[in-house]
Amino acid sequence: FNNREYFGSASRSFLTLVQVATMSQWGDIARRVVLVYPVASLFFLYFVLATGHGLVTCVAANIVQAALHSVRMDEARREAEEREERRVVGDKILTLLRRADSAGDGFVQAA
């Protein structure tokens, strides 16, 4: 096992850990490291579980955030439609009352 291949510099270590975190070819890396350093299996187990949980949490949070945004937009659209409907009904009622006010004094006379 050539540890410089995977952990020879900070950038190589970062790339190796990103591969492990995204589970891209992490099995090959872990096998090679664990054969030489058996205790490293605990690190890989913890690292994979922690990063996997973190990635799943981030994805779920993004889905929930998008759903909440969609609900808020739908509620705002529905409220605007209801306001417009109330305005139209109010205009129709006002028109009817003005027609019923034959004297023009603001009172509706009973027939």
Side-chain angles (χ1 to χ4, degrees), residues 100 108-111:
V108 177
Q109 304 298 325

Side-chain angles (χ1 to χ4, degrees), residues 63-83:
I63 291 170
V64 168
Q65 186 176 16
L68 288 174
H69 177 71
S70 177
V71 166
R72 286 185 190 123
M73 295 300 287
D74 285 345
E75 286 177 352
R77 180 191 47 80
R78 186 177 35 93
E79 288 173 1
E81 288 174 354
E82 288 175 357
R83 261 193 316 273

Side-chain angles (χ1 to χ4, degrees), residues 28-29 46 48 57 60 65 71 78 89 100:
D28 295 335
I29 297 167
Y46 173 75
V48 167
T57 301
Q65 186 176 16
V71 166
R78 186 177 35 93
V89 169

Side-chain angles (χ1 to χ4, degrees), residues 45-68:
L45 177 66
Y46 173 75
F47 189 78
V48 167
L49 290 175
T51 56
H53 176 71
L55 289 173
V56 168
T57 301
C58 287
V59 168
N62 284 331
I63 291 170
V64 168
Q65 186 176 16
L68 288 174

